[in-house]
Amino acid sequence: MIIDEILRPTNHSTVPETINKFIKISFKIHNGFKLLKVYGKVEDGAKAEIMGWVLSIREQKTVSFVIIVDNRKQVQLVINNTKLLKHIRQNSVIGASGTLKKTSKAPGGFEIHVNEVRVISKVKKDPPFNIMTKDLPSIDLRLDNRALDLRRPYNLDLFTIRAALIRSIREYLYSKGFLEVNTPKIIASASEGGAALFPLMYYDKQAFLAQSPQLYKEELTMPFERVFEIGPIFRAEPSRTLKHLSESVSLDVEAAFFTNDDLMNLIDGLVRNSLSDIWKSSSDLLVRIKAPKLGLPERLSRFTYGQIIDWLGKNDRKINFGDDLGQKDLELFGSHVNDFYFITEWPIKLKPFYIQPKDNEVTFSFDLMYRELELSSGGERVHDPSILRKNLKAAGLPVKSFRHHLIPYYYGMPPHGGFGMGVERLLMTITGADNIREVSLYPRDVRRLSP
Ligand code: ATP
Ligand code: MG
């Protein structure tokens, strides 16, 4: 009998009767919900049942191998009955039962020799590409069919690593006494200057999507001292590059009484800890997706902006003090360093109004780089309201729109500092992905708004 329906049990009792009979108690094991059930020890001859998506079918003369994916893990089924095989198509959801056999040749170290198969959700039509193909279809075709594309083994691994990374960052910051917060994503005015914002209608008023939690996280250092947020930022990036999204996820950190040095030390520890955590928890996945092994020096190098333009000048790229470093400059210097590093002491004119000057030329600021890719920007902030007002005016920003933001600065704003780090940029570095769209589930860019 073929059961043609999608199975979404929320608890044991809601499992349809027919399937319940077949799968028996598969839905409850001590580790929570899991579709693989082995009766007794994982040893040859044990009875096993599984449900999952058919990833691939490899037919041979007398025996066929079917790989199914269960809870992001691959399990190999061995089928030597052609009648059973007849019902199995790639991408269908099936249930199978049989006996377990240990083998180093199968993923996970065992396979199931099948004697019963159920088709639970049958594929209705052939997908536009084979998820097991070695010749990757264009990124646009894949993104148009993203849920299917995400079933490719590479993506199952990649987004599992992404989750492990975010979890590790979160735990690290908790361990350092930071409070996780959420700040508004609908804001009243084009607050920071710099990046272009997405306007929207908020009832009868004009509003915008937040380009960063900057001003809120700074204010929050007054009540909470140390805060962080992992959330979306929206930027109307005008061009389509390999490292910009219109909606990306940012790790934003802000801390009272942190100096520039404290912040860079925190990032140094955070990057080190994240890399070590994910290589501990997900090394098999990282190896499978061929992630580069990023070695870290004792301490991440720090170069001032001044040192870098001097170096570039000696290497035939003249930069005037105060000019931004372009892609070509960063490629040249980045390949020279060939690692993570900080660029510190950026000129005042290249930094936003809230960055603390060091003297009348440069600021207490830094960017974390990996080769030519910027991963994070941060620094100490101005906490004196009169300087903040002066800077706003100098930047040509309407002081009136910052009325609410300035209030806490009159009531005991602590000296503070922080940074914003692009989660997708960090993930690109860790996985070796060359296009930021690969590491976002549903990327948004100047041309793409769906799915
Ligand atoms: P870039 O110069 O690369 O455009 P930025 O200096 O404008 O970046 P910041 O405002 O410093 O960006 O934001 C902090 C971090 O957020 C960046 O270092 C980067 O990792 C990430 N980020 C910023 N904009 C984007 C974007 N459009 N897409 C993905 N990540 C971004
Ligand atoms: Mg920046």
Side-chain angles (χ1 to χ4, degrees), residues 351 367 374 377:
K351 284 291 155 186
D367 277 9
E374 179 190 318
S377 283

Side-chain angles (χ1 to χ4, degrees), residues 172-173 178 214 217 221 225-227 252-271 300 302 342 344 355-356 364-366 368 376-381 415-421:
Y172 185 76
L173 289 171
F178 283 81
Q214 183 66 34
K217 66 174 179 171
T221 61
E225 292 189 33
R226 297 179 186 191
V227 293
D252 269 276
V253 171
E254 202 70 22
F257 311 110
F258 267 49
T259 63
N260 221 34
D261 243 12
D262 296 333
L263 292 165
M264 285 188 278
N265 290 340
L266 181 71
I267 292 189
D268 194 313
L270 183 131
V271 169
L300 302 188
R302 300 173 185 188
F342 289 105
T344 65
I355 283 282
Q356 182 77 52
F364 281 118
S365 61
F366 59 83
L368 172 71
S376 173
S377 283
E380 286 175 34
R381 325 296 194 187
H416 60 281
F419 59 87
M421 185 182 290

Side-chain angles (χ1 to χ4, degrees), residues 75-211:
V75 174
Q76 177 159 289
L77 307 181
V78 182
I79 299 176
N80 51 21
N81 178 336
T82 45
K83 265 198 216 133
L84 287 183
L85 197 64
K86 208 170 66 194
H87 299 297
I88 301 178
R89 283 179 65 187
Q90 199 184 22
N91 296 310
S92 283
V93 180
I94 65 164
S97 69
T99 48
L100 190 137
K101 184 162 184 284
K102 283 177 139 177
T103 163
S104 58
K105 283 184 198 139
F110 68 91
E111 58 193 16
I112 299 173
H113 289 247
V114 172
N115 47 37
E116 197 176 358
V117 168
R118 295 277 187 273
V119 177
I120 296 161
S121 175
K122 198 164 65 176
V123 284
K124 303 287 185 288
K125 56 181 186 178
D126 283 332
F129 56 87
N130 183 340
I131 54 174
M132 294 303 281
T133 182
K134 289 228 163 36
D135 309 315
L136 223 49
S138 76
I139 183 151
D140 279 325
L141 180 66
R142 289 193 285 113
L143 291 179
D144 283 343
N145 299 276
R146 190 56 158 162
L148 178 75
D149 180 49
L150 291 173
R151 209 192 280 158
R152 286 190 300 120
Y154 179 91
N155 275 336
L156 294 175
D157 289 344
L158 188 138
F159 285 95
T160 309
I161 294 165
R162 181 179 163 125
L165 174 68
I166 291 177
R167 178 180 177 168
S168 159
I169 290 173
R170 190 169 260 135
E171 282 169 4
Y172 185 76
L173 289 171
Y174 274 104
S175 80
K176 300 285 173 198
F178 283 81
L179 183 76
E180 185 166 9
V181 297
N182 300 98
T183 61
K185 300 305 158 210
I186 304 178
I187 55 170
S189 58
S191 51
E192 276 182 67
L197 302 194
F198 289 107
L200 60 97
M201 280 315 290
Y202 185 71
Y203 306 104
D204 58 345
K205 287 195 194 67
Q206 162 96 77
F208 302 90
L209 291 175
Q211 75 185 77

